[in-house]
Amino acid sequence: MALNFNHTNSKNINDLGNICGIDFSQDAIFLPAMYGIFFIVGTPLNVLALAGLYRLVKTEKVVAVYVMNLLLADLIQLFTLPMWMDYYKNGHYWRYGPGACQFMGYSFYISVYVAIFLRCIIALERHLAIARPWMFQGLSKLKVAGWLTLGVWVLIAVPPSAALNKLFPVHENYTLCIEKYPSEGNFITYKLITLLLSFIVPLTFILVLHIKTLRSLMAVSALPPEEKKRIKDFLTLLVVAFIIVLGPYHFIGCVKYVGLLLHSDACAWEKVVFVPYQLGRGLLSLNSLLDPVLYMFLRNDFRSAVGVYVPCLQWVTWGLSQPRASVAVECSTAD
């Protein structure tokens, strides 16, 4: 049975941007449900992590600067989710005006791409702490970390803001928000470039660092096997989380937009990839749950706080402790 969205004119209005006649009831349940879970669970987790990080920044722990900015990006994304839930629940009917649509779309995607590059920085920081401790000591300054994170925000946020109307066009005559079926040529080119540069390049960078860091870790004779395993598990989780969160959206996105360039019937192809693409979009917000888990691996004090305030997560943090036999690792994470 078709869902009743209580907007008598919404279908006719949306048809202006939905020439293909996509059935928007297909994601009206699973996408709001996913966003609801991420918002309810992810918001307190990220706030709790930020509360612990505030003290660490004052003690000049560089890794805290990077993780804090990562969690801030997650919170920005989380705060957009209620409006997206309303949008998808009501059959892709945006009722807050074109300006709000533009701002919410911009905020959501900026938070995603800032988080991508912050994960690259965290992977590099872990590599230097283990494999290049002399270089790490020279770069482990709050001023350096502050300028580096500021550079990431500026690099990701400023160029799109200068071309906001091109990337997130305002459509006064219909109520779809940042989507059009079928997608047009210039937008397809833009999406393919961003999908490749924001996933393939960072993933390659993180994987290369992962392999090199593990090799260096195995060569550290001072660490017992169980402590090496814990560090290895953290590094592996960083890679796996990157792939799980970003992989589906970027892979399906590339398939979608390459298919639009090659397929003779663009609307038929849009209908085929609609649900998988929307599912990949929903998984982008899974980082709001996984990023605090990464922080649990790094901080003993946060693991203790989680055990007290969120007892159901004790099993996640039990047994995870920061190795103390390596000066290189301790200098970046010790209390």
Side-chain angles (χ1 to χ4, degrees):
M1 180 179 294
L3 296 178
N4 181 12
F5 300 119
N6 298 318
H7 298 292
T8 56
N9 296 324
S10 66
K11 185 178 186 299
N12 292 332
I13 295 174
N14 277 357
D15 282 346
L16 297 174
N18 183 22
I19 299 174
C20 294
I22 301 293
D23 179 9
F24 291 137
S25 67
Q26 296 177 92
D27 62 359
I29 296 177
F30 76 83
L31 205 49
M34 290 175 66
Y35 282 163
I37 293 172
F38 296 151
F39 181 79
I40 293 171
V41 180
T43 301
L45 279 180
N46 283 271
V47 171
L48 178 61
L50 281 173
L53 281 166
Y54 176 75
R55 181 177 65 85
L56 298 182
V57 170
K58 294 195 297 184
T59 59
E60 299 193 357
K61 297 300 185 292
V62 171
V63 69
V65 176
Y66 302 133
V67 180
M68 176 175 282
N69 279 269
L70 179 62
L71 298 178
L72 284 173
D74 290 345
L75 282 174
I76 291 174
Q77 184 180 142
L78 283 168
F79 292 153
T80 70
L81 295 188
M83 296 183 76
W84 293 120
M85 291 166 60
D86 178 81
Y87 174 67
Y88 293 119
K89 178 183 177 182
N90 290 286
H92 294 228
Y93 183 92
W94 184 266
R95 55 196 181 96
Y96 303 104
C101 165
Q102 192 179 61
F103 178 76
M104 286 294 107
Y106 172 77
S107 300
F108 183 90
Y109 286 104
I110 290 303
S111 68
V112 169
Y113 294 121
V114 164
I116 288 174
F117 287 96
L118 285 173
R119 289 188 183 94
C120 292
I121 293 176
I122 292 172
L124 178 61
E125 191 270 348
R126 294 291 81 199
H127 173 73
L128 294 178
I130 294 172
R132 301 287 189 271
W134 59 91
M135 185 181 299
F136 173 81
Q137 290 287 359
L139 296 176
S140 58
K141 306 295 182 183
L142 280 183
K143 182 179 292 187
V144 174
W147 280 110
L148 189 55
T149 52
L150 177 62
V152 170
W153 282 100
V154 171
L155 178 65
I156 300 300
V158 171
S161 66
L164 197 60
N165 290 327
K166 289 290 185 181
L167 300 178
F168 305 101
V170 171
H171 298 285
E172 298 284 353
N173 59 342
Y174 65 92
T175 55
L176 291 179
C177 182
I178 314 179
E179 54 183 346
K180 186 176 182 180
Y181 303 94
S183 300
E184 298 177 342
N186 291 337
F187 183 76
I188 292 174
T189 302
Y190 161 75
K191 289 297 292 184
L192 283 174
I193 292 173
T194 56
L195 288 170
L196 291 171
L197 293 181
S198 63
F199 182 71
I200 299 299
V201 174
L203 178 60
T204 302
F205 180 78
I206 290 177
L207 284 175
V208 170
L209 282 181
H210 178 68
I211 295 171
K212 289 186 176 181
T213 304
L214 290 182
R215 288 176 179 173
S216 299
L217 180 64
M218 294 302 103
V220 179
S221 58
L223 286 175
E226 63 273 12
E227 293 181 339
K228 290 183 178 181
K229 183 180 183 301
R230 287 167 185 159
I231 299 176
K232 179 181 178 181
D233 288 344
F234 165 73
L235 298 173
T236 302
L237 178 59
L238 183 67
V239 175
V240 171
F242 190 94
I243 294 173
I244 290 177
V245 170
L246 300 165
Y249 174 77
H250 287 81
F251 174 75
I252 297 169
C254 287
V255 171
K256 171 181 176 175
Y257 292 110
V258 169
L260 286 173
L261 293 176
L262 302 177
H263 209 285
S264 58
D265 188 342
C267 283
W269 185 245
E270 288 276 18
K271 292 178 180 179
V272 168
V273 299
F274 176 75
V275 172
Y277 185 73
Q278 292 298 94
L279 180 60
R281 186 197 301 274
L283 288 175
L284 286 175
S285 298
L286 181 60
N287 61 334
S288 62
L289 304 186
L290 296 181
D291 288 340
V293 174
L294 288 175
Y295 183 47
M296 293 175 195
F297 276 88
L298 293 175
R299 298 303 314 176
N300 290 327
D301 57 348
F302 183 70
R303 290 196 297 272
S304 300
V306 169
V308 173
Y309 296 107
V310 194
C312 63
L313 292 181
Q314 277 188 327
W315 69 273
V316 177
T317 62
W318 183 83
L320 299 174
S321 60
Q322 185 68 20
R324 297 178 181 171
S326 171
V327 175
V329 177
E330 282 293 313
C331 68
S332 65
T333 61
D335 288 337

